[in-house]
Structures are given as structure tokens and as C-alpha cells.
Amino acid sequence: MNEFELIERFFTRAVPAGGIVQQGVGDDCALLDCGERLLAMTTDLLLEGRHFLPGIDPASLGHKALAVNLSDLAAAGASPRAFQLALALPRADEAWLEAFCRGLFALADEHGCALAGGDTTRVPRLAWASAQVDGPLTICITALGDLPRQAVRTRGGACVGDDLWVSGTVGDARAALACRSGELAGVSADDAAAFGRRMDWPQPRVALGVALRGAATAAIDVSDGLLGDLGHILKRSGVGAVVEWERVPCSAALRSLPVERQQNCALAGGDDYELLFTAAPGQRAAVEAAGAVSGVPVTRIGRIVGADDRLRVLDANGLELPTPWQSFDHFA
Ligand code: ADP
Ligand code: MG
């Protein structure tokens, strides 16, 4: 059972008709019906040893814990409003907490997203190989945003014939992980630092998400890998897609790596927090304009086709690329 089968089997339930939940489990955000406007709600949990390494810069951790939630709001086209913060800490370390808060609140203030509550607890010490160690530092944020009722956008709206777009560049965060784990050697210090910034300080595409209201038919944020996250759009929209590898935007640093590494990082690497979205060809000017007003480049990387054509990646000669890699799955 993989992560998504687990969620589908145990936690996907019919939402009561006429209740507040308009969109439940299965999208980047839940949508709650609040009359004129909809409330978008999302939760992400970051666990030491799983999502970040022990000893990580606490300022970047504070930033990233909120950024991954704002990224889900961006996918839904919601404007961030408030968040709750649940923390399980091994100890009350003042210097650590000050740096964590600096990173967290700089991003919160930038987006007008107010801390509205939360919970704080101490993680227990655990017996581990005849020693005592701290349990993992854990951060869980639930963020709320809102959007006009007519601006609803989910993973389920892609139509055959739509263009497929992605914001910014993809693959750098996965390259950072490869550098840090020693899986990738010989990268210049400058390139390694550039990869690291993408992994540690992701920029949620909130302004772009809002600017795409009415233009994009479906969207998701790239958290687990471009092809894996595209698969969620395809499944929920009942369509297939063709991706043209040559069009996939990568940084100059990533382009300097061997091509198989570029493909693996850009197509299967997670943690990019770019927006992957679809829009009708008649909306190309509107999509470009949304990119321009939000200051984020947008690139057309393929198109939506019928479900029978599944998901194919083509090289410059139009030949299908083998894509043997898996996007991130906690239980795969
Ligand atoms: P994202 O990557 O956008 O944060 P996830 O892949 O984590 O989304 O989750 C997929 C969907 O499953 C989301 O709609 C999320 O709300 C839902 N989900 C995940 N875990 C649970 C759970 N334990 N209970 C209910 N819903 C869940
Ligand atoms: Mg998401």
C-alpha cells in the first residue's frame, strides 16, 4: 500500500451533503463554504530525519514549515489569511527559537498571514541502541486562505487540449539533496549553494496562484516531483498528458549536470514548490500576464491528451523517454 492508497482507503470519506465541506480529502486544500467566499485549509507536517536533517538552520526551517503550506494555498488560488502552529521540541532553546521565529514570521508578514493559535509540547527522550536520544523535532502547520466562490480551482479541472505549464525552474531542490547526501560529487561550491537555497528557502508562488484565477483549469504544487504530482492532476481530471523534456525549465546550475541527472532531478525530484497547472490555449496571453504581474516566469511544457494516452515524456526528437524514477512516496 503506498501513501496515496493508504489515504484513499482509510481517510477518504463522503462529505455530508449541505455541510460546510465543499472539497474534502484529495486536493492541495480543503474548501469550506463560508457564504460569499470559500475558505481554503491545508496542513503539512515536517519531521526531523524525514523532511529535514538534524542541525538544519532554524531560520530556514521556520520559513519552510510555513512555505510548504502557503504553496498549497497558492495551488488552490487562495490568499493566505491565518495559520496555526503545532510544535514538538526536544528542549526550550532560546537562540534556536529566536532564529526559527525570524524565518517563520518574515514569510508570514510578507503574505499577511497571521499566527492564530497552535500547540506546544516536548518530545520524549527515547531508548535507542542502549542510549537515550531526543525524539524527532516535529512541526505541523495548518494554514487558512480565502478565495471568491467563482475562482475555485482544483486538481480535477484539466481538459483534453489544455496546455500544461510550470512556474520557475524545477529540480534544484533534489540536486541539493544529492549534493548533501554525497550521491552527487564534483559540483562547484556556487552551484551547490544555489541548489541548497532552493531546498531550504522555497518561495511559495502565492501571487501567481491568485493571478491565475479564471485562467488555469487545474493546478497542483510540485512537492513530490513533477511527474508524480502531474499524475494527481491526470487521475482526478480523467485525462493524460504529453511533456516535452526540452521545454522543462531548469536552472543553469542543473543544466551543467549530466542529462540523466537533470531529468531525474527535474521530473522526479520533490521540494520545488513550483506551480504545475493547465489552461486552455486561448488563455496563453492571460497566463503570460499572470507570470509577469507576479514576477515568476511561466513555461509551457506540454499538453493534456485523452486518458488512453496516459503520461508520456518526449525528447527533442519526439521519442518517448524512459522515466524509471519514482516521485516521493512515504510508504512506497
Ligand atoms: P500535499 O502534497 O498537497 O500536501 P498530500 O499528498 O500530503 O497533499 O495529501 C493528499 C491529500 O490527502 C490531501 O487532500 C490531504 O489533505 C489528504 N490527506 C493526507 N493525509 C490525510 C489524513 N491522515 N487524513 C485525511 N486526509 C489526509
Ligand atoms: Mg500540494
Side-chain angles (χ1 to χ4, degrees):
M1 193 168 30
N2 72 25
E3 177 183 345
F4 303 105
E5 289 163 347
L6 185 158
I7 293 167
E8 200 163 312
R9 177 158 157 209
F10 293 99
F11 301 118
T12 304
R13 319 182 73 206
V15 292
I20 190 175
V21 179
Q22 173 168 329
Q23 157 74 55
V25 173
D27 222 280
D28 290 285
C29 292
L31 296 176
L32 308 183
D33 190 334
C34 296
E36 232 166 78
R37 297 184 70 84
L38 297 176
L39 216 50
M41 178 165 71
T42 181
T43 295
D44 271 292
L45 182 146
L46 298 189
L47 190 63
E48 183 176 21
R50 170 63 61 186
H51 299 96
F52 59 91
L53 297 171
I56 187 178
D57 167 15
S60 77
L61 187 60
H63 171 95
K64 188 164 178 173
L66 183 60
V68 299
N69 280 278
L70 298 188
S71 180
D72 281 325
L73 293 180
S79 302
R81 298 296 180 203
F83 70 104
Q84 297 229 334
L85 171 67
L87 278 177
L89 301 169
R91 68 193 71 80
D93 176 334
E94 280 179 44
W96 190 96
L97 283 161
E98 269 162 21
F100 177 83
C101 287
R102 205 164 55 241
L104 176 75
F105 291 122
L107 186 68
D109 294 347
E110 185 187 324
H111 291 282
C113 194
L115 178 60
D119 195 24
T120 303
T121 183
R122 184 171 188 167
V123 289
R125 288 185 54 86
L126 305 168
W128 182 261
S130 72
Q132 291 269 307
V133 296
D134 291 320
L137 168 61
T138 307
I139 304 156
C140 184
I141 289 183
T142 296
L144 289 176
D146 72 339
L147 64 158
R149 174 171 290 283
Q150 66 278 11
V152 168
R153 174 176 76 221
T154 65
R155 298 173 177 179
C159 300
V160 174
D162 280 356
D163 295 323
L164 179 65
W165 298 78
V166 71
S167 65
T169 61
V170 286
D172 283 355
R174 180 65 184 83
L177 183 63
C179 290
R180 286 175 186 175
S181 67
E183 178 196 319
L184 177 58
V187 173
S188 74
D190 282 354
D191 285 356
F195 292 149
R197 276 193 299 278
R198 288 298 306 272
M199 184 178 196
D200 295 339
W201 298 90
Q203 299 300 315
R205 304 307 192 188
V206 172
L208 176 64
V210 170
L212 285 170
R213 285 178 188 166
T217 49
I220 189 168
D221 66 319
V222 181
S223 55
D224 296 337
L226 190 144
L227 296 183
D229 287 319
L230 175 56
H232 293 306
I233 288 186
L234 302 187
K235 186 168 180 210
R236 291 188 76 86
S237 300
V239 295
V242 173
V243 173
E244 294 172 55
W245 159 248
E246 295 292 308
R247 289 176 176 266
V248 174
C250 298
S251 68
L254 196 74
R255 285 287 182 211
S256 72
L257 302 179
V259 69
E260 299 75 31
R261 175 72 68 176
Q262 291 176 36
Q263 289 171 344
N264 173 262
C265 289
L267 298 174
D271 259 6
D272 290 316
Y273 301 100
E274 294 294 350
L275 291 187
L276 179 66
F277 58 96
T278 57
Q283 295 290 327
R284 281 179 193 172
V287 170
E288 296 283 2
V293 295
S294 55
V296 182
V298 287
T299 310
R300 198 152 45 81
I301 61 166
R303 60 187 192 280
I304 297 298
V305 297
D308 295 345
D309 280 334
R310 56 199 174 86
L311 169 52
R312 287 179 298 140
V313 183
L314 304 183
D315 68 12
N317 301 314
L319 298 175
E320 188 167 351
L321 269 182
T323 52
W325 337 280
Q326 287 259 314
S327 285
F328 192 77
D329 181 322
H330 283 283
F331 296 94

